Amino acid sequence: MAPLDPGASADASAAPRPINPGRNRSMDPRMRVASSNAHRTSSARQSDSKLELFGFDSLVNILGLKSMAEEPAQTPASPTDSEDMGITIGRAQETDPKLGTLMGVFVPCLQNILGIIYYIRFTWIVGMGGIWQSLVLVALCGACTFLTAISLSAIATNGAMKGGGPYYLIGRALGPEVGVSIGLCFFLGNAVAGAMYVLGAVETFLDAVPSAGFFQEKVTVVNGTANGGGGITISTPSLHDLQIYGVIVTILLCFIVFGGVKIINKVAPAFLMPVLFSILCIYIGVLSAPGPNSPKGITGLSTTTLVDNWSADYQPTNDAGVPDPNGSIYWDFNTLLGLFFPAVTGIMAGSNRSASLKDTQSSIPIGTLYATLLTTMMYLLSVFLFGALATRQELLTDRLLTATVAWPAPAVIHIGIILSTLGAALQSLTGAPRLLVAIANDDILPVLNCFNAYEGSEPHVATLFTSFICISCVVIGNLDLITPTITMFFLLCYAGVNLSCFLLDLLDAPSWRPRWKLHHWSLSLIGALLCIVIMFMISWAFTVVSLALASLIYYYVSLKGKAGDWGDGFKSAYFQLALRSLRSLGANQVHPKNWYPIPLIFCRPWGRLPEDVPCHPKLADFANFMKKKGRGMSIFVSIIDGDYHESAEDAKAVCRKLSAYIDDKRCEGVAEIIVAPSMSDGFRSIVQTMGLGNLKPNIVVMRYPEIWRSENLTQIPSTFVGIINDCITANKAVVTVKGLDEWPNEYQRQYGTIDLYWIVRDGGLMLLLSQLLLTKDSFEDCKIQVFCIAEEDTEAEELKADVKKFLYDLRMRAEVIVVTMKSFEAHADGSSRIDDTQEAYRSAQNRIRVYLSEMKETAEREGRPLMEGGKQVVVNEQKVDKFLNTMLKLNATILRHSRMAVVVMVSLPAPPLNQPAYCYMEYMDLLVENVPRMLMVRGYRRDVVTLFT
């Protein structure tokens, strides 16, 4: 990652130079920048002549965007370094192949949801629970999955998403321990679910074609039913036949999965289309029933049958599910819930393959929600149709009632059942290995390193391991004791997704900006509670077992796993729990996703205020604009010149007055008054000592000293430049407000554009500030324009496309405008020149020449070198003219494009080394000439925005 200091090298491929630790430790950071500037390529020197004042590596170029396109490397590394290094801005790596919404999300979800339960158990559920309880059952399960899908959509649209689906989302939101524990349970659930689907397909095949079995069928004879019917003979396939065919089918599906996403993409429609056709045949058969050969229990759609089947009629059954007064299995609503809930699982099938999607932020919400809504409506409609179709005895005794009524023949349903279960098994065997690889690639548990796979490659080792688990469960043959735990794993994952969204929404950090607008923290909380309630309703014993297994994995990860900083929601919560946050975060640098602006507000410098007003009112308004929904802390500082012992009581009185003013302005902040011999000494003390731990201020906010020349305040240039240099040394960002008196308050609505002139790679601070402005009522109707400067005309379109993609991944809506160097110079050199600016340019040249002449005369008269502030300065008039010309061109560009902008943001250049402070003030005056309202922003050597969720 390129450092954010504008003096850093732009050549990412240059070989590293040896560093003398002892020498560099004592070297001024500004001098290190200067020394690094001596090693430049010829292409870099061409750009120096254009924008040298902003730093040698100043242009926001294509390679520079990688600074925020990668998660920062940590030691020990936690998010997978290899996966992040694979992300590039511009031309993406050629990976095979990327899927869209239909084939990547909608079809996998539909195949997993439409399973065997709908074909062979749904009519039985309607007969046992009655119509109204079946409706409640479907609505309860559908609400659980729908709320989970909303939470999933919100997190998935909060940034770029890597492979791992729900594990990736939960881990990045709740931390690696929770993510790995739930992720491994969810992997196990998917792997065993594949065995369930395979056994369902084999059993249906052997029921339809009994002669295909190698062993004798098992025959169960029931002498009577609870309704007094005659004897019933039920034949079930042999366990050995299930094992043989199950292993063969699993191996065949594994070969398909080994073929990769391209093969799966071609095979999936072949499994899904017959399934959809079979469901259509069921509806046609229901509408046309009863047929000439239909059993007497099939009445056709009848209101009488509907009324008879409206209420529940729970009866004991034998092992085959047939009502029997002497049966050993007792049913109620909770047990029906456990039987039916697997019919609605599968909403994560699309997100499980997130690494194979073209656009996760668009595909996951649309595909998942459409599949969830479509299947839920189909289940609700089927409750009414089946409840009005046949008598209760027929619903309870005919295991394949859907095949009995289907048009034109039962074989259609047999084919539909087999293909639906095989399609669901295929999706499970596809998603589970990718989930395991995502966990392994994060390198949290070294024991999983054998499953690592490069991005874009097929997870062959993980697929073999998943197949082994699936075949082992197929060989067991009886999954009755395992399937409830698998259901718990799915519900545990759903609860984790809902809790992740709830936590992120509750904390509402600046990085939380999902595109999906339908979510709300209350919906996520309801979804999480609903998942937990359903778990205990199905079986409290299996719930305890599942939670215990997840807890053991969590404990193991905590002991043996590697630490990871993913910017998870818990660490963001620490920032709102003060002391706990300081202990938890320690001295570590804050992750961009947890970064909050903590502005240090200079209350009274360089302005005329009444003595009873402790702070400029617009500075307080601006401090509130920098915080999202008021969250964050501001530190308001004033400096009193004098001796501390003499002015201590005055400082306390001023501090009380400032605190009352902050409360009256409804600012979340604290007041601090510093007594120092001078403003420069006071600020130097503040920047070194203010704050505690990670609650130290990270942005210095002050007004631009517009009055320095009009009131002939000659001490301001050296003080202003000294403050900026101190901020650079202390690694603090700087925001200087020009036109503070015209800054709007919270009741003055603005219309127009917020224009960003993104010149220096500032870690994304300028982008973040523009987004924070849009969250306020005053600026919510404004639009953002981002201006970038390209060196060559040929790279302008490529830079524009890459910046657009970068802003899209940051969830920013902005128009990107690229200004080439040729047009940049033409603004100041051609017909577009502005007379006022030209006059200001000539006046600045004359004033600087007079000032430098006076400095030289004074130095010659006193027989000493040129000195300012105790330091020797170097007068290079050619450099001075070049910097003035740079500011003239930039000012002309701003006036050409942004004269009517509501706010103009521009990168704040660092004061040139060894030049008089007076020259820098002239440069800045020329930059802000005729621009009514401007923010000059300088970031620091840390990213404050990130692409990742």
Side-chain angles (χ1 to χ4, degrees):
M1 177 185 298
L4 296 177
D5 192 318
S9 173
D11 190 359
S13 63
R17 295 183 295 273
I19 297 176
N20 187 326
R23 179 180 179 182
N24 283 331
R25 190 177 298 114
S26 61
M27 187 183 297
D28 187 345
R30 302 293 311 281
M31 295 304 296
R32 286 202 297 269
V33 173
S35 65
S36 65
N37 290 340
H39 304 276
R40 302 294 164 193
T41 61
S42 59
S43 61
R45 293 192 183 95
Q46 294 176 3
S47 65
D48 297 346
S49 63
K50 308 296 194 310
L51 292 170
E52 183 178 349
L53 180 60
F54 287 94
F56 289 95
D57 190 23
S58 57
L59 289 181
V60 180
N61 51 31
I62 299 167
L63 293 176
L65 295 178
K66 293 180 68 177
S67 172
M68 287 169 288
E70 297 176 2
E71 292 192 54
Q74 303 289 338
T75 304
S78 164
T80 312
D81 296 334
S82 60
E83 72 172 11
D84 294 333
M85 292 301 289
I87 296 183
T88 56
I89 299 296
R91 296 183 178 89
Q93 274 186 321
E94 295 295 331
T95 55
D96 248 355
K98 294 295 183 179
L99 305 178
T101 301
L102 181 64
M103 299 306 302
V105 180
F106 181 76
V107 169
C109 289
L110 209 61
Q111 283 185 316
N112 268 35
I113 296 174
L114 293 178
I116 192 172
I117 291 178
Y118 177 79
Y119 288 99
I120 68 174
R121 299 297 275 177
F122 196 64
T123 55
W124 186 91
I125 291 173
V126 174
M128 186 68 73
I131 294 174
W132 80 269
Q133 289 200 16
S134 299
L135 289 174
V136 173
L137 186 72
V138 173
L140 185 65
C141 297
C144 177
T145 55
F146 181 74
L147 292 175
T148 304
I150 290 179
S151 299
L152 176 69
S153 302
I155 307 177
T157 58
N158 190 50
M161 179 178 170
K162 301 297 294 179
Y167 154 74
Y168 183 90
L169 302 179
I170 295 172
R172 267 59 176 181
L174 300 181
E177 295 86 0
V178 178
V180 172
S181 59
I182 294 181
L184 289 177
C185 290
F186 191 57
F187 159 76
L188 184 61
N190 276 277
V192 181
M196 292 172 53
Y197 297 133
V198 168
L199 288 175
V202 172
E203 185 174 351
T204 303
F205 169 74
L206 293 176
D207 281 339
V209 188
S211 59
F214 299 103
F215 300 90
Q216 185 177 1
E217 293 181 334
K218 180 181 179 181
V219 178
T220 303
V221 179
V222 181
N223 294 327
T225 68
N227 295 323
I232 298 175
T233 301
I234 300 175
S235 300
T236 55
S238 169
L239 175 62
H240 300 301
D241 286 334
L242 291 176
Q243 293 170 336
I244 293 173
Y245 279 102
V247 171
I248 294 173
V249 170
T250 304
I251 293 175
L252 292 177
L253 292 177
C254 290
F255 278 113
I256 297 176
V257 175
F258 266 94
V261 177
K262 188 175 182 179
I263 300 297
I264 298 170
N265 191 23
K266 293 180 179 179
V267 172
F271 285 100
L272 181 62
M273 296 309 296
V275 173
L276 298 178
F277 177 74
S278 67
I279 294 175
L280 178 62
C281 292
I282 292 174
Y283 288 155
I284 294 175
V286 169
L287 296 176
S288 60
N293 299 321
S294 297
K296 293 181 180 181
I298 298 178
T299 63
L301 296 179
S302 169
T303 55
T304 303
T305 307
L306 183 71
V307 172
D308 292 340
N309 293 331
W310 183 259
S311 60
D313 185 13
Y314 294 107
Q315 306 174 32
T317 66
N318 58 17
D319 293 340
V322 177
D324 186 349
N326 300 319
S328 59
I329 301 177
Y330 296 90
W331 296 89
D332 56 16
F333 183 82
N334 291 350
T335 51
L336 279 186
L337 180 62
L339 175 64
F340 174 73
F341 193 85
V344 298
T345 59
I347 61 173
M348 300 293 181
S351 61
N352 283 346
R353 303 199 296 181
S354 55
S356 302
L357 299 178
K358 293 178 183 176
D359 187 357
T360 57
Q361 298 189 34
S362 174
S363 297
I364 290 178
I366 296 175
T368 304
L369 285 170
Y370 271 76
T372 304
L373 290 174
L374 178 62
T375 52
T376 301
M377 295 304 297
M378 188 193 76
Y379 285 140
L380 291 173
L381 176 61
S382 298
V383 171
F384 285 103
L385 292 179
F386 293 150
L389 173 67
T391 63
R392 192 181 301 273
Q393 180 178 4
E394 190 70 24
L395 291 173
L396 293 175
T397 56
D398 191 346
R399 296 180 61 193
L400 280 175
L401 182 60
T402 54
T404 304
V405 301
W407 175 90
V412 175
I413 303 306
H414 293 147
I415 295 175
I417 295 174
I418 294 172
L419 292 180
S420 69
T421 51
L422 290 180
L426 182 65
Q427 297 302 331
S428 296
L429 293 176
T430 302
R434 284 160 173 78
L435 177 61
L436 184 60
V437 166
I439 299 174
N441 281 348
D442 277 339
D443 198 26
I444 299 298
L445 284 179
V447 72
L448 299 179
N449 288 345
C450 58
F451 301 113
N452 286 344
Y454 294 106
E455 184 178 4
S457 63
E458 290 299 322
H460 295 309
V461 177
T463 301
L464 286 174
F465 181 71
T466 306
S467 303
F468 173 77
I469 295 177
C470 186
I471 290 174
S472 299
C473 294
V474 167
V475 171
I476 294 174
N478 186 354
L479 300 178
D480 291 341
L481 297 178
I482 301 176
T483 50
T485 306
I486 305 308
T487 302
M488 298 303 165
F489 288 158
F490 280 101
L491 281 167
L492 193 63
C493 179
Y494 296 171
V497 172
N498 282 296
L499 286 175
S500 300
C501 186
F502 167 73
L503 180 63
L504 293 173
D505 215 353
L506 191 65
L507 297 174
D508 200 22
S511 63
W512 177 243
R513 299 190 305 277
R515 298 181 187 275
W516 194 254
K517 302 300 181 183
L518 293 182
H519 82 283
H520 191 267
W521 67 266
S522 59
L523 295 178
S524 301
L525 180 59
I526 293 172
L529 293 176
L530 190 58
C531 291
I532 297 173
V533 168
I534 291 177
M535 290 176 68
F536 280 97
M537 287 179 64
I538 293 174
S539 172
W540 68 268
F542 280 111
T543 300
V544 171
V545 170
S546 302
L547 293 176
L549 178 59
S551 300
L552 287 175
I553 298 175
Y554 179 93
Y555 183 68
Y556 179 79
V557 175
S558 301
L559 292 179
K560 302 295 184 181
K562 296 182 180 179
D565 182 12
W566 292 346
D568 55 82
F570 287 139
K571 287 197 174 74
S572 184
Y574 296 156
F575 272 89
Q576 300 181 39
L577 298 176
L579 183 59
R580 183 179 177 185
S581 71
L582 293 175
R583 285 202 308 261
S584 300
L585 298 176
N588 296 330
Q589 289 182 315
V590 180
H591 194 280
K593 286 187 288 185
N594 298 331
W595 187 87
Y596 284 82
I598 305 178
L600 179 71
I601 312 294
F602 260 19
C603 295
R604 293 181 59 90
W606 309 316
R608 298 304 181 188
L609 293 177
E611 289 298 326
D612 59 339
V613 179
C615 178
H616 195 296
K618 296 301 179 68
L619 269 178
D621 291 335
F622 183 76
N624 281 334
F625 281 120
M626 295 179 67
K627 293 179 288 188
K628 186 176 181 181
K629 297 182 181 179
R631 288 183 171 88
M633 182 180 67
S634 301
I635 302 176
F636 292 79
V637 174
S638 281
I639 299 175
I640 298 178
D641 293 341
D643 182 78
Y644 175 72
H645 296 283
E646 297 176 358
S647 305
E649 293 302 321
D650 294 339
K652 293 178 182 177
V654 174
C655 186
R656 288 192 294 268
K657 186 182 297 184
L658 181 57
S659 297
Y661 183 84
I662 293 171
D663 294 338
D664 183 66
K665 294 292 289 184
R666 293 179 297 177
C667 297
E668 284 190 3
V670 296
E672 295 286 349
I673 304 298
I674 301 297
V675 179
S678 66
M679 184 180 294
S680 297
D681 294 334
F683 179 82
R684 194 160 292 133
S685 300
I686 290 170
V687 81
Q688 293 182 75
T689 61
M690 188 66 67
L692 182 63
N694 275 313
L695 292 181
K696 289 183 178 179
N698 46 35
I699 302 178
V700 176
V701 179
M702 56 185 171
R703 73 177 304 178
Y704 181 76
E706 301 168 61
I707 64 172
W708 77 279
R709 183 182 298 110
S710 62
E711 300 191 17
N712 196 27
L713 301 176
T714 56
Q715 79 280 6
I716 284 183
S718 59
T719 304
F720 182 74
V721 170
I723 289 175
I724 295 178
N725 282 329
D726 289 342
C727 290
I728 294 174
T729 303
N731 196 23
K732 309 287 185 185
V734 183
V735 176
T736 304
V737 187
K738 191 264 182 181
L740 183 64
D741 295 330
E742 289 76 36
W743 190 264
N745 59 36
E746 57 182 336
Y747 305 108
Q748 295 174 320
R749 190 171 291 272
Q750 304 294 304
Y751 301 90
T753 61
I754 300 174
D755 291 357
L756 280 63
Y757 287 81
W758 194 19
I759 300 173
V760 174
R761 298 205 302 274
D762 59 357
L765 179 60
M766 192 185 302
L767 301 175
L768 182 61
L769 290 179
S770 67
Q771 291 298 298
L772 293 176
L773 288 180
L774 291 184
T775 63
K776 306 302 178 183
D777 294 339
S778 301
F779 293 96
E780 66 179 359
D781 294 321
C782 297
K783 297 181 179 179
I784 296 178
Q785 295 185 140
V786 178
F787 292 83
C788 299
I789 299 177
E791 292 187 19
E792 302 292 341
D793 292 342
T794 55
E795 76 166 359
E797 289 303 318
E798 185 179 356
L799 176 60
K800 183 175 182 179
D802 289 333
V803 173
K804 279 186 175 181
K805 176 63 170 58
F806 180 72
L807 296 179
Y808 172 83
D809 287 337
L810 285 176
R811 293 89 69 202
M812 279 188 60
R813 293 184 178 180
E815 181 182 0
V816 178
I817 301 172
V818 176
V819 179
T820 62
M821 281 297 181
K822 291 182 180 179
S823 60
F824 177 77
E825 296 183 349
H827 294 165
D829 298 333
S831 59
S832 62
R833 284 187 173 184
I834 300 172
D835 294 338
D836 293 343
T837 307
Q838 284 293 319
E839 181 61 28
Y841 172 73
R842 287 190 289 269
S843 299
Q845 278 185 317
N846 294 332
R847 286 192 297 268
I848 289 178
R849 289 193 181 100
V850 171
Y851 180 82
L852 294 179
S853 298
E854 293 176 355
M855 284 189 67
K856 291 179 181 178
E857 291 175 1
T858 303
E860 291 174 359
R861 185 170 56 251
E862 296 177 359
R864 59 172 176 79
L866 294 179
M867 302 288 291
E868 184 180 76
K871 295 181 180 180
Q872 185 174 353
V873 298
V874 178
V875 177
N876 187 330
E877 296 184 359
Q878 185 178 2
K879 284 266 190 182
V880 171
D881 288 338
K882 181 193 297 185
F883 292 161
L884 282 174
N885 192 47
T886 298
M887 288 307 187
L888 171 67
K889 295 173 184 178
L890 183 56
N891 178 263
T893 302
I894 294 173
L895 294 179
R896 177 184 180 90
H897 294 284
S898 307
R899 182 178 287 273
M900 303 304 294
V902 173
V903 179
V904 174
M905 294 188 184
V906 67
S907 300
L908 176 69
L913 288 171
N914 301 326
Q915 281 198 11
Y918 182 92
C919 297
Y920 182 76
M921 291 303 302
E922 290 289 354
Y923 305 154
M924 299 307 299
D925 274 1
L926 190 58
L927 173 63
V928 304
E929 184 75 14
N930 296 323
V931 182
R933 193 183 295 159
M934 177 183 283
L935 299 180
M936 289 163 280
V937 180
R938 180 172 184 83
Y940 59 111
R941 294 180 292 273
R942 284 288 296 170
D943 289 343
V944 299
V945 297
T946 179
L947 302 181
F948 295 90
T949 185

